[in-house]
Amino acid sequence: MRYTSFKPLLAAFAAALSCAAHASGPAYTFTDGSGILTFTSNSLAALNTAGVTVTAAAPASFDGSKITMTSDDAHVVWNDKFDIQSMTGYGGFTLTSSTTKGAQVVLTNIQLDPTAAIVYADAVTSSFSNSFGAYQGKTISHMALFSGNLVGSSNIVASGGNVNTAIQNLALSSVSIPELGNALGVPTFIQQALFPSINFGQIALVGTFKPTVAVPEPSTYALMGIGLVGLTLTQRRRARK
């Protein structure tokens, strides 16, 4: 009688274990990806008019219109619905003034936020002085650089593990216009007349994700412990007979 009384317990344990193991669904591992910022010809021409040139900040590369930044799993965040919350690329780009000696801005840790369609960056500006005055360099963390419109889906499941979406019609944010303009020695009237109207292009989010075996939840481990205790007691009772 004591032995058969454990059968319902073991059956319940097996059923609960089966359900718990699949409760969270499949997980994913990020294997490869990049953020590709493609400038419009108009934006590069406008920057040139303002005396500003663009170059890549290593390890990113720049082919004349595209800044390519790679990423790894430590720089990609997604939620339990498998929507990517952010992706940060290695490297970035540098803006250098050709008219104001010493004026430069280095933008790195370019982070895409597909949910809000905002591109963030860490900015380091250089000090300089000219006939208009002096500027003290500074460091700005996680500055809202661009805003735009999301095109495509950044959901890992919906994309079959191959995410390819973009934030298009990039416009400088109200915060970044004076920060970048002042750091590059661009007069305020040019900042206000030129920068707000520029469509800088788009930044694409490209990533590859592979499904991994789901990790049992804490409740599963508890049930496994109960089951093992039950099996041990059953074996002891058998041995006594």
Side-chain angles (χ1 to χ4, degrees), residues 153-206:
S153 172
S154 57
N155 184 276
I156 298 170
V157 175
S159 65
N162 295 304
V163 174
N164 191 343
T165 187
I167 301 176
Q168 297 183 338
N169 301 318
L170 296 177
L172 287 173
S173 71
S174 58
V175 173
S176 64
I177 288 177
E179 290 288 2
L180 299 182
N182 294 341
L184 292 168
V186 178
T188 302
F189 74 92
I190 293 181
Q191 295 178 31
Q192 296 174 346
L194 185 62
F195 289 167
S197 61
I198 301 175
N199 174 3
F200 280 86
Q202 73 167 28
I203 186 164
L205 171 63
V206 181

mmCIF file of all heavy atoms in Angstrom, residues 153-206:
data_model
loop_
_atom_site.group_PDB
_atom_site.id
_atom_site.type_symbol
_atom_site.label_atom_id
_atom_site.label_comp_id
_atom_site.label_asym_id
_atom_site.label_seq_id
_atom_site.Cartn_x
_atom_site.Cartn_y
_atom_site.Cartn_z
ATOM 1 N N SER A 153 10.242 44.441 -39.096
ATOM 2 C CA SER A 153 10.026 43.888 -37.762
ATOM 3 C C SER A 153 11.352 43.563 -37.092
ATOM 4 O O SER A 153 12.253 42.999 -37.716
ATOM 5 C CB SER A 153 9.174 42.619 -37.838
ATOM 6 O OG SER A 153 9.116 41.973 -36.583
ATOM 7 N N SER A 154 11.459 43.903 -35.812
ATOM 8 C CA SER A 154 12.656 43.580 -35.048
ATOM 9 C C SER A 154 12.376 42.416 -34.097
ATOM 10 O O SER A 154 13.083 42.239 -33.109
ATOM 11 C CB SER A 154 13.143 44.808 -34.265
ATOM 12 O OG SER A 154 12.121 45.286 -33.412
ATOM 13 N N ASN A 155 11.343 41.625 -34.397
ATOM 14 C CA ASN A 155 11.009 40.458 -33.584
ATOM 15 C C ASN A 155 11.799 39.245 -34.083
ATOM 16 O O ASN A 155 11.774 38.915 -35.273
ATOM 17 C CB ASN A 155 9.509 40.177 -33.639
ATOM 18 C CG ASN A 155 9.112 39.025 -32.734
ATOM 19 O OD1 ASN A 155 9.200 37.872 -33.119
ATOM 20 N ND2 ASN A 155 8.678 39.349 -31.536
ATOM 21 N N ILE A 156 12.490 38.591 -33.174
ATOM 22 C CA ILE A 156 13.366 37.479 -33.546
ATOM 23 C C ILE A 156 12.576 36.293 -34.101
ATOM 24 O O ILE A 156 12.958 35.686 -35.100
ATOM 25 C CB ILE A 156 14.201 37.041 -32.325
ATOM 26 C CG1 ILE A 156 15.085 38.200 -31.858
ATOM 27 C CG2 ILE A 156 15.056 35.825 -32.650
ATOM 28 C CD1 ILE A 156 15.759 37.957 -30.524
ATOM 29 N N VAL A 157 11.455 35.963 -33.464
ATOM 30 C CA VAL A 157 10.649 34.829 -33.906
ATOM 31 C C VAL A 157 10.027 35.094 -35.266
ATOM 32 O O VAL A 157 10.068 34.259 -36.171
ATOM 33 C CB VAL A 157 9.556 34.500 -32.869
ATOM 34 C CG1 VAL A 157 8.647 33.385 -33.390
ATOM 35 C CG2 VAL A 157 10.180 34.097 -31.546
ATOM 36 N N ALA A 158 9.434 36.286 -35.425
ATOM 37 C CA ALA A 158 8.758 36.634 -36.687
ATOM 38 C C ALA A 158 9.718 36.638 -37.865
ATOM 39 O O ALA A 158 9.324 36.342 -39.000
ATOM 40 C CB ALA A 158 8.081 37.995 -36.559
ATOM 41 N N SER A 159 10.970 36.950 -37.607
ATOM 42 C CA SER A 159 11.957 37.018 -38.689
ATOM 43 C C SER A 159 12.641 35.676 -38.936
ATOM 44 O O SER A 159 13.516 35.582 -39.797
ATOM 45 C CB SER A 159 13.019 38.060 -38.366
ATOM 46 O OG SER A 159 13.768 37.663 -37.231
ATOM 47 N N GLY A 160 12.254 34.662 -38.163
ATOM 48 C CA GLY A 160 12.889 33.364 -38.319
ATOM 49 C C GLY A 160 14.332 33.360 -37.878
ATOM 50 O O GLY A 160 15.137 32.547 -38.338
ATOM 51 N N GLY A 161 14.693 34.275 -36.986
ATOM 52 C CA GLY A 161 16.059 34.351 -36.489
ATOM 53 C C GLY A 161 16.983 35.217 -37.321
ATOM 54 O O GLY A 161 18.146 35.386 -36.974
ATOM 55 N N ASN A 162 16.470 35.775 -38.416
ATOM 56 C CA ASN A 162 17.287 36.652 -39.272
ATOM 57 C C ASN A 162 16.652 38.039 -39.329
ATOM 58 O O ASN A 162 15.853 38.345 -40.215
ATOM 59 C CB ASN A 162 17.409 36.067 -40.676
ATOM 60 C CG ASN A 162 18.157 34.753 -40.694
ATOM 61 O OD1 ASN A 162 19.285 34.673 -40.242
ATOM 62 N ND2 ASN A 162 17.531 33.708 -41.202
ATOM 63 N N VAL A 163 17.002 38.860 -38.355
ATOM 64 C CA VAL A 163 16.416 40.201 -38.247
ATOM 65 C C VAL A 163 17.045 41.136 -39.270
ATOM 66 O O VAL A 163 18.263 41.186 -39.419
ATOM 67 C CB VAL A 163 16.609 40.762 -36.826
ATOM 68 C CG1 VAL A 163 16.125 42.201 -36.748
ATOM 69 C CG2 VAL A 163 15.883 39.901 -35.813
ATOM 70 N N ASN A 164 16.213 41.863 -39.979
ATOM 71 C CA ASN A 164 16.702 42.846 -40.950
ATOM 72 C C ASN A 164 15.674 43.969 -41.024
ATOM 73 O O ASN A 164 14.695 43.881 -41.768
ATOM 74 C CB ASN A 164 16.902 42.213 -42.321
ATOM 75 C CG ASN A 164 17.648 43.138 -43.282
ATOM 76 O OD1 ASN A 164 17.746 44.340 -43.052
ATOM 77 N ND2 ASN A 164 18.166 42.587 -44.358
ATOM 78 N N THR A 165 15.888 44.999 -40.241
ATOM 79 C CA THR A 165 14.967 46.122 -40.200
ATOM 80 C C THR A 165 15.772 47.415 -40.190
ATOM 81 O O THR A 165 16.998 47.385 -40.158
ATOM 82 C CB THR A 165 14.052 46.027 -38.963
ATOM 83 O OG1 THR A 165 13.055 47.044 -39.009
ATOM 84 C CG2 THR A 165 14.854 46.171 -37.680
ATOM 85 N N ALA A 166 15.092 48.548 -40.228
ATOM 86 C CA ALA A 166 15.817 49.819 -40.308
ATOM 87 C C ALA A 166 15.019 50.951 -39.672
ATOM 88 O O ALA A 166 13.792 50.914 -39.617
ATOM 89 C CB ALA A 166 16.128 50.163 -41.759
ATOM 90 N N ILE A 167 15.759 51.938 -39.194
ATOM 91 C CA ILE A 167 15.162 53.210 -38.770
ATOM 92 C C ILE A 167 15.512 54.202 -39.866
ATOM 93 O O ILE A 167 16.691 54.523 -40.078
ATOM 94 C CB ILE A 167 15.714 53.677 -37.414
ATOM 95 C CG1 ILE A 167 15.432 52.634 -36.335
ATOM 96 C CG2 ILE A 167 15.075 55.010 -37.012
ATOM 97 C CD1 ILE A 167 16.027 52.960 -34.978
ATOM 98 N N GLN A 168 14.498 54.652 -40.600
ATOM 99 C CA GLN A 168 14.722 55.509 -41.763
ATOM 100 C C GLN A 168 14.406 56.973 -41.458
ATOM 101 O O GLN A 168 13.899 57.309 -40.395
ATOM 102 C CB GLN A 168 13.864 55.024 -42.935
ATOM 103 C CG GLN A 168 14.217 53.629 -43.420
ATOM 104 C CD GLN A 168 13.402 53.202 -44.621
ATOM 105 O OE1 GLN A 168 12.320 53.726 -44.891
ATOM 106 N NE2 GLN A 168 13.916 52.225 -45.379
ATOM 107 N N ASN A 169 14.705 57.836 -42.445
ATOM 108 C CA ASN A 169 14.449 59.283 -42.332
ATOM 109 C C ASN A 169 15.060 59.850 -41.055
ATOM 110 O O ASN A 169 14.383 60.528 -40.270
ATOM 111 C CB ASN A 169 12.946 59.568 -42.381
ATOM 112 C CG ASN A 169 12.305 59.068 -43.656
ATOM 113 O OD1 ASN A 169 12.852 59.216 -44.743
ATOM 114 N ND2 ASN A 169 11.142 58.438 -43.522
ATOM 115 N N LEU A 170 16.331 59.566 -40.859
ATOM 116 C CA LEU A 170 17.011 60.005 -39.643
ATOM 117 C C LEU A 170 17.121 61.525 -39.583
ATOM 118 O O LEU A 170 17.595 62.165 -40.522
ATOM 119 C CB LEU A 170 18.406 59.392 -39.575
ATOM 120 C CG LEU A 170 18.476 57.866 -39.469
ATOM 121 C CD1 LEU A 170 19.933 57.406 -39.474
ATOM 122 C CD2 LEU A 170 17.770 57.374 -38.209
ATOM 123 N N ALA A 171 16.688 62.069 -38.463
ATOM 124 C CA ALA A 171 16.779 63.514 -38.234
ATOM 125 C C ALA A 171 17.508 63.742 -36.921
ATOM 126 O O ALA A 171 17.302 63.004 -35.948
ATOM 127 C CB ALA A 171 15.387 64.135 -38.170
ATOM 128 N N LEU A 172 18.384 64.740 -36.884
ATOM 129 C CA LEU A 172 19.071 65.065 -35.637
ATOM 130 C C LEU A 172 18.054 65.456 -34.575
ATOM 131 O O LEU A 172 17.078 66.164 -34.859
ATOM 132 C CB LEU A 172 20.055 66.218 -35.853
ATOM 133 C CG LEU A 172 21.331 65.889 -36.643
ATOM 134 C CD1 LEU A 172 22.110 67.163 -36.927
ATOM 135 C CD2 LEU A 172 22.197 64.889 -35.895
ATOM 136 N N SER A 173 18.255 64.981 -33.356
ATOM 137 C CA SER A 173 17.329 65.308 -32.274
ATOM 138 C C SER A 173 17.520 66.759 -31.830
ATOM 139 O O SER A 173 18.543 67.387 -32.133
ATOM 140 C CB SER A 173 17.551 64.377 -31.084
ATOM 141 O OG SER A 173 18.777 64.686 -30.452
ATOM 142 N N SER A 174 16.554 67.263 -31.090
ATOM 143 C CA SER A 174 16.635 68.643 -30.596
ATOM 144 C C SER A 174 17.791 68.807 -29.610
ATOM 145 O O SER A 174 18.285 69.918 -29.401
ATOM 146 C CB SER A 174 15.316 69.036 -29.917
ATOM 147 O OG SER A 174 15.016 68.146 -28.847
ATOM 148 N N VAL A 175 18.217 67.704 -29.014
ATOM 149 C CA VAL A 175 19.355 67.739 -28.080
ATOM 150 C C VAL A 175 20.672 67.743 -28.841
ATOM 151 O O VAL A 175 21.604 68.483 -28.508
ATOM 152 C CB VAL A 175 19.296 66.530 -27.125
ATOM 153 C CG1 VAL A 175 20.565 66.465 -26.278
ATOM 154 C CG2 VAL A 175 18.073 66.601 -26.233
ATOM 155 N N SER A 176 20.755 66.898 -29.879
ATOM 156 C CA SER A 176 22.032 66.732 -30.578
ATOM 157 C C SER A 176 22.400 67.911 -31.476
ATOM 158 O O SER A 176 23.580 68.161 -31.718
ATOM 159 C CB SER A 176 22.015 65.445 -31.403
ATOM 160 O OG SER A 176 21.052 65.501 -32.435
ATOM 161 N N ILE A 177 21.407 68.654 -31.979
ATOM 162 C CA ILE A 177 21.714 69.785 -32.880
ATOM 163 C C ILE A 177 22.631 70.813 -32.216
ATOM 164 O O ILE A 177 23.705 71.117 -32.742
ATOM 165 C CB ILE A 177 20.430 70.443 -33.416
ATOM 166 C CG1 ILE A 177 19.762 69.513 -34.437
ATOM 167 C CG2 ILE A 177 20.739 71.794 -34.060
ATOM 168 C CD1 ILE A 177 18.439 70.032 -34.971
ATOM 169 N N PRO A 178 22.264 71.359 -31.044
ATOM 170 C CA PRO A 178 23.179 72.345 -30.437
ATOM 171 C C PRO A 178 24.460 71.708 -29.898
ATOM 172 O O PRO A 178 25.530 72.328 -29.945
ATOM 173 C CB PRO A 178 22.344 72.953 -29.302
ATOM 174 C CG PRO A 178 21.308 71.917 -28.993
ATOM 175 C CD PRO A 178 21.000 71.259 -30.293
ATOM 176 N N GLU A 179 24.357 70.457 -29.396
ATOM 177 C CA GLU A 179 25.550 69.812 -28.855
ATOM 178 C C GLU A 179 26.597 69.618 -29.948
ATOM 179 O O GLU A 179 27.776 69.947 -29.758
ATOM 180 C CB GLU A 179 25.194 68.458 -28.231
ATOM 181 C CG GLU A 179 24.396 68.539 -26.947
ATOM 182 C CD GLU A 179 25.210 69.028 -25.764
ATOM 183 O OE1 GLU A 179 26.412 69.362 -25.923
ATOM 184 O OE2 GLU A 179 24.644 69.090 -24.655
ATOM 185 N N LEU A 180 26.184 69.097 -31.095
ATOM 186 C CA LEU A 180 27.117 68.859 -32.194
ATOM 187 C C LEU A 180 27.530 70.170 -32.856
ATOM 188 O O LEU A 180 28.703 70.375 -33.185
ATOM 189 C CB LEU A 180 26.491 67.924 -33.233
ATOM 190 C CG LEU A 180 26.108 66.521 -32.747
ATOM 191 C CD1 LEU A 180 25.549 65.701 -33.907
ATOM 192 C CD2 LEU A 180 27.288 65.805 -32.120
ATOM 193 N N GLY A 181 26.547 71.043 -33.078
ATOM 194 C CA GLY A 181 26.829 72.322 -33.743
ATOM 195 C C GLY A 181 27.836 73.158 -32.983
ATOM 196 O O GLY A 181 28.808 73.667 -33.565
ATOM 197 N N ASN A 182 27.636 73.295 -31.680
ATOM 198 C CA ASN A 182 28.555 74.095 -30.865
ATOM 199 C C ASN A 182 29.940 73.445 -30.792
ATOM 200 O O ASN A 182 30.962 74.132 -30.824
ATOM 201 C CB ASN A 182 27.999 74.253 -29.448
ATOM 202 C CG ASN A 182 26.725 75.077 -29.419
ATOM 203 O OD1 ASN A 182 26.436 75.816 -30.359
ATOM 204 N ND2 ASN A 182 25.946 74.934 -28.356
ATOM 205 N N ALA A 183 29.962 72.100 -30.695
ATOM 206 C CA ALA A 183 31.243 71.399 -30.598
ATOM 207 C C ALA A 183 32.038 71.471 -31.892
ATOM 208 O O ALA A 183 33.260 71.312 -31.878
ATOM 209 C CB ALA A 183 31.001 69.940 -30.228
ATOM 210 N N LEU A 184 31.348 71.721 -33.004
ATOM 211 C CA LEU A 184 32.028 71.815 -34.305
ATOM 212 C C LEU A 184 32.242 73.260 -34.749
ATOM 213 O O LEU A 184 32.727 73.514 -35.849
ATOM 214 C CB LEU A 184 31.222 71.056 -35.362
ATOM 215 C CG LEU A 184 31.183 69.533 -35.170
ATOM 216 C CD1 LEU A 184 30.130 68.908 -36.074
ATOM 217 C CD2 LEU A 184 32.560 68.921 -35.439
ATOM 218 N N GLY A 185 31.867 74.195 -33.894
ATOM 219 C CA GLY A 185 32.064 75.606 -34.213
ATOM 220 C C GLY A 185 31.128 76.133 -35.281
ATOM 221 O O GLY A 185 31.426 77.145 -35.935
ATOM 222 N N VAL A 186 29.985 75.476 -35.471
ATOM 223 C CA VAL A 186 29.014 75.928 -36.474
ATOM 224 C C VAL A 186 28.162 77.038 -35.852
ATOM 225 O O VAL A 186 27.564 76.831 -34.784
ATOM 226 C CB VAL A 186 28.111 74.768 -36.930
ATOM 227 C CG1 VAL A 186 27.078 75.254 -37.939
ATOM 228 C CG2 VAL A 186 28.944 73.638 -37.510
ATOM 229 N N PRO A 187 28.093 78.203 -36.465
ATOM 230 C CA PRO A 187 27.288 79.308 -35.913
ATOM 231 C C PRO A 187 25.844 78.880 -35.674
ATOM 232 O O PRO A 187 25.279 78.066 -36.424
ATOM 233 C CB PRO A 187 27.378 80.381 -36.991
ATOM 234 C CG PRO A 187 28.674 80.098 -37.688
ATOM 235 C CD PRO A 187 28.788 78.595 -37.698
ATOM 236 N N THR A 188 25.237 79.435 -34.647
ATOM 237 C CA THR A 188 23.877 79.048 -34.256
ATOM 238 C C THR A 188 22.876 79.243 -35.387
ATOM 239 O O THR A 188 21.995 78.404 -35.598
ATOM 240 C CB THR A 188 23.431 79.860 -33.027
ATOM 241 O OG1 THR A 188 24.351 79.641 -31.956
ATOM 242 C CG2 THR A 188 22.042 79.448 -32.579
ATOM 243 N N PHE A 189 22.994 80.334 -36.143
ATOM 244 C CA PHE A 189 22.005 80.591 -37.195
ATOM 245 C C PHE A 189 22.085 79.526 -38.297
ATOM 246 O O PHE A 189 21.065 79.179 -38.908
ATOM 247 C CB PHE A 189 22.168 82.012 -37.770
ATOM 248 C CG PHE A 189 23.354 82.198 -38.678
ATOM 249 C CD1 PHE A 189 23.231 82.030 -40.062
ATOM 250 C CD2 PHE A 189 24.596 82.564 -38.167
ATOM 251 C CE1 PHE A 189 24.325 82.212 -40.895
ATOM 252 C CE2 PHE A 189 25.689 82.739 -39.003
ATOM 253 C CZ PHE A 189 25.555 82.559 -40.370
ATOM 254 N N ILE A 190 23.280 78.991 -38.540
ATOM 255 C CA ILE A 190 23.413 77.912 -39.533
ATOM 256 C C ILE A 190 22.843 76.614 -38.969
ATOM 257 O O ILE A 190 22.169 75.850 -39.674
ATOM 258 C CB ILE A 190 24.890 77.723 -39.935
ATOM 259 C CG1 ILE A 190 25.392 78.956 -40.689
ATOM 260 C CG2 ILE A 190 25.045 76.474 -40.811
ATOM 261 C CD1 ILE A 190 26.833 78.842 -41.144
ATOM 262 N N GLN A 191 23.092 76.359 -37.688
ATOM 263 C CA GLN A 191 22.520 75.181 -37.046
ATOM 264 C C GLN A 191 21.001 75.171 -37.201
ATOM 265 O O GLN A 191 20.408 74.165 -37.607
ATOM 266 C CB GLN A 191 22.854 75.158 -35.554
ATOM 267 C CG GLN A 191 24.315 75.011 -35.203
ATOM 268 C CD GLN A 191 24.517 75.043 -33.697
ATOM 269 O OE1 GLN A 191 23.651 74.626 -32.923
ATOM 270 N NE2 GLN A 191 25.667 75.543 -33.258
ATOM 271 N N GLN A 192 20.387 76.292 -36.878
ATOM 272 C CA GLN A 192 18.926 76.378 -36.888
ATOM 273 C C GLN A 192 18.344 76.372 -38.297
ATOM 274 O O GLN A 192 17.247 75.857 -38.525
ATOM 275 C CB GLN A 192 18.489 77.638 -36.135
ATOM 276 C CG GLN A 192 18.864 77.618 -34.660
ATOM 277 C CD GLN A 192 18.560 78.937 -33.959
ATOM 278 O OE1 GLN A 192 18.299 79.960 -34.602
ATOM 279 N NE2 GLN A 192 18.592 78.923 -32.637
ATOM 280 N N ALA A 193 19.076 76.915 -39.240
ATOM 281 C CA ALA A 193 18.569 76.996 -40.605
ATOM 282 C C ALA A 193 18.811 75.706 -41.395
ATOM 283 O O ALA A 193 18.022 75.360 -42.277
ATOM 284 C CB ALA A 193 19.216 78.173 -41.337
ATOM 285 N N LEU A 194 19.876 75.008 -41.076
ATOM 286 C CA LEU A 194 20.288 73.873 -41.904
ATOM 287 C C LEU A 194 19.996 72.511 -41.288
ATOM 288 O O LEU A 194 19.374 71.644 -41.931
ATOM 289 C CB LEU A 194 21.788 73.992 -42.191
ATOM 290 C CG LEU A 194 22.414 72.973 -43.150
ATOM 291 C CD1 LEU A 194 21.787 73.098 -44.544
ATOM 292 C CD2 LEU A 194 23.926 73.174 -43.227
ATOM 293 N N PHE A 195 20.408 72.284 -40.060
ATOM 294 C CA PHE A 195 20.369 70.948 -39.475
ATOM 295 C C PHE A 195 18.982 70.319 -39.306
ATOM 296 O O PHE A 195 18.813 69.122 -39.566
ATOM 297 C CB PHE A 195 21.113 70.942 -38.136
ATOM 298 C CG PHE A 195 22.606 71.076 -38.283
ATOM 299 C CD1 PHE A 195 23.407 71.361 -37.189
ATOM 300 C CD2 PHE A 195 23.222 70.924 -39.517
ATOM 301 C CE1 PHE A 195 24.785 71.478 -37.307
ATOM 302 C CE2 PHE A 195 24.601 71.047 -39.667
ATOM 303 C CZ PHE A 195 25.382 71.325 -38.559
ATOM 304 N N PRO A 196 17.958 71.055 -38.847
ATOM 305 C CA PRO A 196 16.654 70.408 -38.622
ATOM 306 C C PRO A 196 16.011 69.829 -39.879
ATOM 307 O O PRO A 196 15.184 68.918 -39.785
ATOM 308 C CB PRO A 196 15.789 71.536 -38.041
ATOM 309 C CG PRO A 196 16.768 72.499 -37.468
ATOM 310 C CD PRO A 196 17.937 72.464 -38.394
ATOM 311 N N SER A 197 16.359 70.330 -41.038
ATOM 312 C CA SER A 197 15.703 69.888 -42.275
ATOM 313 C C SER A 197 16.418 68.732 -42.976
ATOM 314 O O SER A 197 15.932 68.209 -43.976
ATOM 315 C CB SER A 197 15.600 71.064 -43.251
ATOM 316 O OG SER A 197 16.901 71.542 -43.588
ATOM 317 N N ILE A 198 17.550 68.298 -42.452
ATOM 318 C CA ILE A 198 18.340 67.272 -43.135
ATOM 319 C C ILE A 198 17.818 65.869 -42.841
ATOM 320 O O ILE A 198 17.589 65.506 -41.682
ATOM 321 C CB ILE A 198 19.822 67.343 -42.716
ATOM 322 C CG1 ILE A 198 20.417 68.707 -43.048
ATOM 323 C CG2 ILE A 198 20.632 66.251 -43.401
ATOM 324 C CD1 ILE A 198 21.840 68.880 -42.548
ATOM 325 N N ASN A 199 17.624 65.088 -43.907
ATOM 326 C CA ASN A 199 17.352 63.662 -43.771
ATOM 327 C C ASN A 199 18.710 62.958 -43.899
ATOM 328 O O ASN A 199 19.272 62.881 -44.986
ATOM 329 C CB ASN A 199 16.387 63.187 -44.861
ATOM 330 C CG ASN A 199 16.189 61.675 -44.853
ATOM 331 O OD1 ASN A 199 16.723 60.966 -44.002
ATOM 332 N ND2 ASN A 199 15.431 61.180 -45.809
ATOM 333 N N PHE A 200 19.230 62.462 -42.775
ATOM 334 C CA PHE A 200 20.568 61.883 -42.796
ATOM 335 C C PHE A 200 20.623 60.486 -43.412
ATOM 336 O O PHE A 200 21.699 59.994 -43.725
ATOM 337 C CB PHE A 200 21.159 61.866 -41.382
ATOM 338 C CG PHE A 200 21.721 63.198 -40.974
ATOM 339 C CD1 PHE A 200 20.907 64.169 -40.419
ATOM 340 C CD2 PHE A 200 23.058 63.496 -41.173
ATOM 341 C CE1 PHE A 200 21.412 65.406 -40.051
ATOM 342 C CE2 PHE A 200 23.579 64.729 -40.812
ATOM 343 C CZ PHE A 200 22.752 65.694 -40.261
ATOM 344 N N GLY A 201 19.473 59.846 -43.565
ATOM 345 C CA GLY A 201 19.470 58.523 -44.189
ATOM 346 C C GLY A 201 18.817 57.487 -43.313
ATOM 347 O O GLY A 201 17.747 57.714 -42.752
ATOM 348 N N GLN A 202 19.456 56.328 -43.165
ATOM 349 C CA GLN A 202 18.886 55.259 -42.360
ATOM 350 C C GLN A 202 19.975 54.458 -41.664
ATOM 351 O O GLN A 202 21.137 54.491 -42.060
ATOM 352 C CB GLN A 202 18.055 54.304 -43.216
ATOM 353 C CG GLN A 202 18.887 53.389 -44.122
ATOM 354 C CD GLN A 202 18.071 52.263 -44.718
ATOM 355 O OE1 GLN A 202 16.873 52.374 -44.926
ATOM 356 N NE2 GLN A 202 18.724 51.144 -45.005
ATOM 357 N N ILE A 203 19.569 53.759 -40.605
ATOM 358 C CA ILE A 203 20.477 52.831 -39.939
ATOM 359 C C ILE A 203 19.776 51.486 -39.875
ATOM 360 O O ILE A 203 18.656 51.370 -39.376
ATOM 361 C CB ILE A 203 20.909 53.334 -38.542
ATOM 362 C CG1 ILE A 203 21.978 52.405 -37.945
ATOM 363 C CG2 ILE A 203 19.742 53.528 -37.613
ATOM 364 C CD1 ILE A 203 22.737 53.007 -36.780
ATOM 365 N N ALA A 204 20.397 50.480 -40.451
ATOM 366 C CA ALA A 204 19.805 49.150 -40.542
ATOM 367 C C ALA A 204 20.266 48.278 -39.383
ATOM 368 O O ALA A 204 21.425 48.346 -38.959
ATOM 369 C CB ALA A 204 20.179 48.495 -41.864
ATOM 370 N N LEU A 205 19.348 47.470 -38.884
ATOM 371 C CA LEU A 205 19.629 46.517 -37.820
ATOM 372 C C LEU A 205 19.631 45.131 -38.448
ATOM 373 O O LEU A 205 18.609 44.647 -38.929
ATOM 374 C CB LEU A 205 18.546 46.614 -36.739
ATOM 375 C CG LEU A 205 18.530 45.556 -35.646
ATOM 376 C CD1 LEU A 205 19.814 45.618 -34.840
ATOM 377 C CD2 LEU A 205 17.332 45.758 -34.732
ATOM 378 N N VAL A 206 20.793 44.498 -38.489
ATOM 379 C CA VAL A 206 20.926 43.169 -39.081
ATOM 380 C C VAL A 206 21.458 42.222 -38.022
ATOM 381 O O VAL A 206 22.497 42.501 -37.412
ATOM 382 C CB VAL A 206 21.888 43.184 -40.296
ATOM 383 C CG1 VAL A 206 22.001 41.805 -40.904
ATOM 384 C CG2 VAL A 206 21.405 44.195 -41.338
#
